[in-house]
Amino acid sequence: MQRIRRSRGWSQEELAFESGLHRTYISGIERGARNPTVTVLRALADALGVGPGRLLDDGPPETASP
């Protein structure tokens, strides 16, 4: 999730705003201190414009198609 967020040039605060979550919760997820529910994963995926499964993928960040 952090790679995707950063590839879009978003701060944790921007992702929090777009997803309707609190910035400290985003930080906790990225640090591995919090375990998001399926509902939270969906909110984050929708905000980032990716499928929920993409947030669980360890591959490189998506690139925009030309």
Side-chain angles (χ1 to χ4, degrees):
M1 179 179 83
Q2 185 178 46
R3 268 190 307 245
I4 297 169
R5 175 182 62 76
R6 287 183 175 176
S7 75
R8 284 162 175 62
W10 287 7
S11 66
Q12 289 179 345
E13 190 170 356
E14 288 170 304
L15 178 55
F17 176 78
E18 293 295 327
S19 64
L21 301 169
H22 197 275
R23 185 200 55 79
T24 58
Y25 190 69
I26 301 293
S27 174
I29 293 170
E30 289 186 356
R31 289 183 290 113
R34 293 194 170 260
N35 296 313
T37 64
V38 173
T39 304
V40 168
L41 281 177
R42 171 52 89 184
L44 291 167
D46 288 348
L48 291 167
V50 298
R54 182 72 179 107
L55 298 180
L56 306 174
D57 186 11
D58 286 339
E62 291 181 358
T63 57
S65 300

